[in-house]
Amino acid sequence: MTTNSSEKVALGKQLTGPEVSDAAFALLDEQGRVAAWTQAAERLVGYSAGDVVGRSAALVLPSFGEAATMWAFVEQCRARNGWSGATAVRHRDGRVLDVILRISMLSGQDGATQWLASVTDIGVRSGDTVSASVQGSLLARAPIGVVVRDLELRCTGVNDEMESHGGISRDQRLGRRFTDACPGVESEAAEAVMRQVLQSGNTKVHEYRTWLPTSRGEERPYAVSFSCLQGADGRALGVCTISVDVAESRRARELLAILSEAGTRLGRTLDVMQTGQELADLAVPLLADFVAVDLEQSVPFCDGPPLRIGPTGERLPVFRRAGLASIHPGAPESAWVRGEPVPMGAGSPVVEVLRTGRSRLEPILDTAPGSWIDQDPVRAQKIHENGMHSVMIVPIRAQHALLGVAVFARTKEPVPFQEVDLLLAEEFVGRAAVSLDNARRYCREQTAALALQRNLLPQHLRGGTAVETASRYQPADIDRGVGGDWFDAIPLSGARVALVVGDVVGHGVNAAATMGRLRTAVHTLAGMELPPAEVLARLDDTVQRLAEADAVAPDQTPAVAGATCLYAIYDPVTRRCTMATAGHPPPAIIDPQGQVTFPDLPTGAPLGIGLGIPFEAVELELAEGSLIALYTDGLIEARDNDIEKGMQRLGTALAQPGRSLEDLCTSVMEPFQDQAACDDIALLLVRTRSFSPAQVASWTLPGDETAIRRARNLAACQLAEWGLEDLEDSTTLIVSELVTNAVRHSTGPIGLRLIQHQVLTVEVSDAGACTPRARSPRAMDEHGRGLFLVAQLSHRWGSRPVPDGKVVWAETDFARTPGTSEVALLSGP
C-alpha cells in the first residue's frame, strides 16, 4: 500500500560521494534521437547539447548504429530491464571510451515512451583491474529510479523502479509536481533544489531516506541526483531525478574494491592450501553464507599429472578440502574439515562440472526425493540442518587443467543466487586459479628440487674406522626454495677419510643440479688421492668450465655459478687433519675437554670466480675424540645476528663433552625448527678416532733387491702377530710385487707399512714420481704382471702422491682370503 505522508520522504544533506554523481545522462526518444543533454555528458564525450540534440545516438554510441529504434537496440542488450552493460562511446576527438551503459525506459502520459541513457566511465569506477562485464553486472544490482520533469517541475516520464524507491505509483506522479504527489516540507525542499539546478545547469546530489512500500520498519537510504536537461540551444528543458539505493550501491562497490584487490590478496603465498582458504574467506559474507574450496589431490600434494577437463570415467578423482568459510562459527555446513579428503558421488553435480568445465547454478536447490542430494545422505543432512537453499559450483581451472571446485551456498540470506552472482563467483575463482596455478607450479618445482637434492646428498655417511659421523640438512623456507648445500665423508686409502662441505650460490633446481655435478667432481678428485689444496684448484677449474659450457652463445660471457667449499683429509694413524677452504666458513673444532676453536685458515676465493689465486692448506694435529663441525653459512648467518654471534652460538651448542653426535646435531638445529630459514642449512659432525701403535707396523727398506725378501718376511711375521695367517700368502705376494716395482722404478729408501683396520692395507712408498698403472702383458713377456696380480689379490689398489714421492697401496678384505693354490696359480709357474 502506498501513502502520501510527509513522513514518508526526508530530504537530507548534499552528498559528494560517487553513487550517481559521476554518471552522464542523456534523454532519447523512441527512434534513438537525443532529446535532451546534460553538462556531465558534455564533459564525458566532448559534445555540447547543440552538437547532439536532435541527432541519432549513434553519433556517440557506435553500438546503436545497427538499430532502427530504441526498442530494437534494447533487444540487443545483454541483460534485463534495458541494461546494456559494458560498451564503448566515441569522444568528439575520436577517442573511444570504455563505459558502463544503462538504458531505462520512461513511461509518459498518453502512453508516450522515452529512454534515459546513463553512462559511467569504467576508469572512474574501479580502475582497470576488474573486467567491464563484471563491473556492469555488479552495478546493475542496484536498480535506479528515474523521474523526468519539465520546467514547471511536472512529471513527464518515470520508470517502474521509482515506485519501489518512493512508494508513489506512476499514475500518481505523471503530470504532477512532487509537492502535489507527496506534500510536505521535504518535497518543497526537493523542488527548491530542482529550481537551483534549472538555473545553474549543474548536477546536485542529495541523500534522502524512506521506508519501503511494504514496511515501516528500518529506513532505506537513497542517493538522489538532480541534473538539468538541455535542449539544442543549450537552454534548460527540464530536470532529471535519479535515485539509487545507497546500501546496494555501496555493497556493489565493496565487491568491486575487493575484486580489485583480489589478485594481491590471493597471491600472498605459494601455499596452495592457504590460497584455497583465502578464496573462501574472500567470498564470505559478501557473496555467500558458506564457501568450500576442494582441490584435486594432485594439487596440494604436488604429485601426479593435473586433472584434465572431460569425461572422468568410472573412477572419480579424489578431492581434498583446502578452504572453508561460513557466517556461522565452526562452519557447521561442512561435514569435512580442511585437509580431509572429500568424496564425490557419481550423481553429484560436481561430476558434470568436471566433464564440461562449466559452472553450475542452482538458484533454488532441489531437495526433493530422487534429486542428487537425496543420493548423498551426508550432504543431505547438512543441507537440511543448515537451510541451504541456493548453490553455485564453480570449477577452478588453469587452461585445460582442473585444479578443483569452489562451492558457494546461501543459508541465512533469503535471496537466491542469480546470474550476476555466478559471474562474480567466477571472477573470484578465476583470480584464485591464477594464484593456485602459480603455487602448484612452484610446489612441483620445489618438490622436484628437494627430491633431486636429497637424492644427490649422501644417503649413508661412511667414515670408516677413522671417524664417527652425524649430519643434518634443512632446506630453505618455501619462499626462497631449495638451495645447493651439500656435505660428504669419503673413505680414502690408508684408513683416511675426506670431509667436504659446500654451498652453491642460489636456490632451486639449478642450484641443486649444480651441487650434484660438483659433488660428483669431488668424488672423482678424492679418488685421485689429491691433497686438499689441489682438489680445490681442480674443482675451481671444473666450475669455470661448467659455466662456459652452459653459456648460450659462444661469445657470451659465462655466468659465474659460484660456490664455496671446504675440503679436509683426516689421517687416524697420525691424527693429522689437512684442510683448505674456497671462501667457506672455517670448521669448528672442539677438543675432548669442550674447548672450542675456529682455526684460522687461508681464505681462498669461492669456486668459479676465476681469480687464479692458489689455494693453501693448513695441517692440524687433533687429539683423539676431537669433534669437527663442518657447516654452511645458513647455520651462522641470520637477519638479526652477525656471523660472530652465529659462530659463538654454534660453539656453545657443541661444547658439551660426552653427548652423542645425534644429540649435538639436534641441539645445534633446535633454534631453526620453528622458524623459516633464510638459507639452506647443512651440518656435518665428525668425531675423530686414532689407531693404536699395535694396529700399525712400518719399516724402512734399502732400495735394492734385498728389500724384496726382507719385506716378505717382515709382512709374514706381522700377520702372524696379528693372527692373520690366512692372509699370509696373498699379502706377501702383494708386498713382493709392490716392493719389486719400487726397486726397479725408483731410487733411495723404500717404506713399507701395514695397517690393520676394517681391511688390511699394504702401503709401499718410494721417491719415484711416476704413477704406476696395470698392463695386460703378452704371453712371452717376462715382466708387467706385478700390478695385474695385485689387482687380482686385493679388494682395491691405487696410488697417491706425497711430498717426497708416492705411495702405492692395496687393500685386502678379511672376508676374501685366496687359498694357496689360487695364489700359486696367479703367481705363475
Side-chain angles (χ1 to χ4, degrees):
M1 181 178 70
T2 61
T3 177
N4 293 338
S5 168
S6 61
E7 297 178 351
K8 179 70 176 188
V9 177
L11 188 67
K13 62 183 179 180
Q14 183 169 346
L15 300 179
T16 58
E19 273 73 17
V20 288
S21 60
D22 55 7
F25 303 101
L27 193 63
L28 310 176
D29 63 19
E30 293 188 44
Q31 283 68 46
R33 292 189 298 264
V34 179
W37 198 242
T38 60
Q39 289 186 358
E42 181 177 351
R43 287 192 296 269
L44 179 63
V45 297
Y47 288 100
S48 66
D51 296 328
V52 296
V53 173
R55 302 179 65 179
S56 171
L59 177 66
V60 294
L61 193 62
S63 57
F64 184 78
E66 300 177 359
T69 64
M70 281 302 300
W71 283 106
F73 181 64
V74 170
E75 290 298 326
Q76 297 174 2
C77 294
R78 288 190 294 112
R80 301 180 298 273
N81 276 341
W83 168 243
S84 179
T87 188
V89 295
R90 185 184 297 113
H91 194 276
R92 185 170 186 171
D93 61 10
R95 289 181 293 134
V96 175
L97 306 177
D98 294 325
V99 297
I100 302 297
L101 172 68
R102 287 177 183 264
I103 303 293
S104 299
M105 186 180 73
L106 308 181
S107 300
Q109 290 178 315
D110 301 326
T113 301
Q114 288 183 308
W115 304 83
L116 185 77
S118 71
V119 178
T120 305
D121 188 350
I122 289 179
V124 174
R125 286 292 183 182
S126 59
D128 298 327
T129 59
V130 181
S131 65
S133 61
V134 174
Q135 289 192 57
S137 298
L138 283 177
L139 295 174
R141 297 175 67 124
I144 62 174
V146 182
V147 178
V148 174
R149 299 182 182 276
D150 60 17
L151 294 175
E152 301 299 325
L153 304 184
R154 294 186 297 261
C155 177
T156 60
V158 62
N159 70 342
D160 294 338
E161 187 62 34
M162 195 62 200
E163 181 174 352
S164 66
H165 283 204
I168 305 173
S169 68
R170 177 177 59 187
D171 293 338
Q172 288 177 299
R173 291 181 184 274
L174 287 174
R176 305 174 69 184
R177 291 170 47 182
F178 192 29
T179 52
D180 296 331
C182 183
V185 177
E186 290 77 10
S187 57
E188 292 175 359
E191 288 194 351
V193 174
M194 296 180 197
R195 292 190 182 93
Q196 294 176 9
V197 169
L198 289 174
Q199 291 176 0
S200 65
N202 294 324
T203 298
K204 292 184 180 296
V205 182
H206 283 258
E207 177 185 298
Y208 74 91
R209 296 179 178 274
T210 184
W211 290 282
L212 293 178
T214 58
S215 171
R216 290 189 60 83
E218 183 180 356
E219 287 182 319
R220 295 294 296 269
Y222 289 86
V224 57
S225 71
F226 303 93
S227 300
C228 180
L229 296 174
Q230 299 175 332
D233 55 3
R235 295 182 179 180
L237 294 178
V239 62
C240 177
T241 303
I242 308 291
S243 63
V244 178
D245 188 319
V246 173
E248 286 292 332
S249 177
R250 288 177 179 170
R251 181 170 182 268
R253 292 177 185 279
E254 288 175 358
L255 290 171
L256 282 174
I258 290 178
L259 270 180
S260 298
E261 299 175 4
T264 302
R265 293 179 61 179
L266 291 171
R268 294 178 299 183
T269 177
L270 289 172
D271 186 330
V272 292
M273 296 292 285
Q274 183 60 31
T275 301
Q277 183 60 44
E278 289 175 352
L279 170 59
D281 292 337
L282 200 62
V284 174
L286 285 174
L287 180 59
D289 298 330
F290 167 73
V291 173
V293 179
D294 298 330
L295 298 180
E296 197 271 324
Q297 186 159 258
S298 67
V299 177
F301 288 102
C302 304
D303 183 24
L307 183 65
R308 297 295 178 181
I309 297 172
T312 58
E314 296 181 359
R315 185 175 181 181
L316 294 175
V318 177
F319 287 85
R320 195 166 293 272
R321 185 135 295 175
L324 197 60
S326 171
I327 60 173
H328 302 293
E333 301 92 336
S334 176
W336 300 276
V337 300
R338 290 188 67 215
E340 285 188 341
V342 180
M344 296 293 176
S348 171
V350 173
V351 177
E352 179 186 350
V353 172
L354 299 181
R355 181 179 58 83
T356 63
R358 293 192 296 269
S359 303
R360 174 161 173 167
L361 169 63
E362 292 196 22
I364 306 298
L365 191 58
D366 184 9
T367 59
S371 65
W372 68 268
I373 296 175
D374 193 47
Q375 303 174 22
D376 192 336
V378 176
R379 286 185 172 86
Q381 181 180 357
K382 290 294 183 179
I383 289 172
H384 290 300
E385 288 178 350
N386 296 279
M388 293 187 197
H389 62 86
S390 190
V391 171
M392 296 184 295
I393 302 174
V394 181
I396 306 174
R397 298 175 297 180
Q399 298 180 349
H400 296 293
L402 186 64
L403 307 181
V405 292
V407 180
F408 302 80
R410 281 184 174 169
T411 56
K412 185 178 179 181
E413 170 61 52
V415 179
F417 286 123
Q418 302 174 16
E419 291 292 339
V420 64
D421 298 301
L422 181 61
L423 189 65
L424 181 60
E426 290 176 335
E427 187 79 8
F428 273 124
V429 171
R431 290 167 183 262
V434 175
S435 298
L436 281 170
D437 191 44
N438 291 337
R440 177 180 67 93
R441 293 175 184 273
Y442 180 86
C443 179
R444 287 180 180 274
E445 180 179 341
Q446 176 83 356
T447 302
L450 188 57
L452 174 64
Q453 186 165 28
R454 292 200 182 280
N455 287 331
L456 292 175
L457 289 173
Q459 304 299 310
H460 303 287
L461 290 172
R462 296 186 300 138
T465 55
V467 293
E468 175 191 358
T469 62
S471 63
R472 291 289 188 275
Y473 171 73
Q474 178 174 311
D477 61 5
I478 192 169
D479 292 327
R480 294 181 177 268
V482 176
D485 291 12
W486 90 94
F487 53 86
D488 219 333
I490 308 170
L492 303 177
S493 64
R496 299 171 307 139
V497 63
L499 307 172
V500 60
V501 63
D503 184 0
V504 175
V505 175
H507 299 275
V509 175
N510 291 337
T514 301
M515 176 271 287
R517 298 162 85 178
L518 293 185
R519 181 169 178 255
T520 301
V522 169
H523 269 265
T524 301
L525 295 173
M528 297 171 65
E529 302 275 3
L530 299 175
E534 182 68 17
V535 168
L536 293 183
R538 297 203 183 190
L539 195 61
D540 179 50
D541 181 63
T542 299
V543 173
Q544 294 184 54
R545 286 189 287 106
L546 289 175
E548 293 172 358
D550 291 340
V552 177
D555 57 346
Q556 177 182 344
T557 301
V560 178
T564 64
C565 183
L566 187 147
Y567 188 88
I569 295 177
Y570 174 70
D571 188 343
V573 176
T574 62
R575 290 188 285 105
R576 290 188 173 274
C577 184
T578 307
M579 57 185 69
T581 178
H584 202 82
I589 298 179
I590 301 90
D591 65 20
Q593 289 72 43
Q595 185 68 32
V596 181
T597 59
F598 290 89
D600 186 14
L601 303 180
T603 304
L607 303 174
I609 301 299
L611 298 181
I613 302 176
F615 295 97
E616 298 181 46
V618 170
E619 185 176 81
L620 305 173
E621 184 173 342
L622 305 179
E624 181 179 1
S626 295
L627 180 66
I628 306 175
L630 306 179
Y631 53 89
T632 54
D633 55 6
L635 188 66
I636 59 174
E637 290 183 354
R639 296 187 182 97
D640 53 348
N641 289 325
D642 57 24
I643 295 180
E644 294 296 331
K645 290 184 178 179
M647 296 173 70
Q648 183 180 1
R649 183 196 62 78
L650 174 62
T652 302
L654 293 174
Q656 304 181 60
R659 296 192 66 181
S660 69
L661 294 185
E662 290 295 333
D663 288 344
L664 289 175
C665 282
T666 301
S667 177
V668 171
M669 298 297 293
E670 186 175 1
F672 304 94
Q673 297 304 312
D674 299 327
Q675 65 182 27
C678 299
D679 196 0
D680 282 14
I681 297 175
L683 173 66
L684 173 61
L685 295 186
V686 172
R687 181 165 284 145
T688 64
R689 301 188 181 111
S690 63
F691 290 170
S692 68
Q695 291 179 270
V696 182
S698 59
W699 306 272
T700 300
L701 307 174
D704 54 31
E705 295 291 338
T706 63
I708 301 172
R709 179 178 294 276
R710 184 181 178 188
R712 290 172 64 97
N713 293 334
L714 290 171
C717 292
Q718 187 63 53
L719 291 176
E721 182 178 337
W722 284 339
L724 300 177
E725 293 87 350
D726 291 343
L727 296 179
E728 180 179 339
D729 292 337
S730 59
T731 303
T732 54
L733 183 54
I734 291 173
V735 169
S736 177
E737 295 298 338
L738 294 182
V739 172
T740 299
N741 279 345
V743 170
R744 291 178 178 176
H745 301 291
S746 68
T747 59
I750 297 171
L752 172 63
R753 185 168 73 166
L754 302 182
I755 306 173
Q756 179 194 14
H757 53 112
Q758 289 178 332
V759 294
L760 176 66
T761 300
V762 176
E763 294 183 344
V764 174
S765 59
D766 60 57
C770 181
T771 301
R773 60 187 182 89
R775 295 185 298 165
S776 298
R778 292 171 294 183
M780 302 304 294
D781 288 347
E782 297 182 1
H783 304 289
R785 293 181 174 84
L787 292 179
F788 174 77
L789 293 175
V790 171
Q792 297 298 313
L793 294 172
S794 63
H795 173 66
R796 62 178 188 141
W797 74 278
S799 67
R800 64 177 183 268
V802 292
D804 54 355
K806 68 177 181 296
V807 173
V808 183
W809 53 268
E811 293 179 352
T812 301
D813 192 343
F814 295 135
R816 182 180 182 274
T817 307
T820 304
S821 59
E822 183 181 350
V823 172
L825 180 63
L826 290 172
S827 58

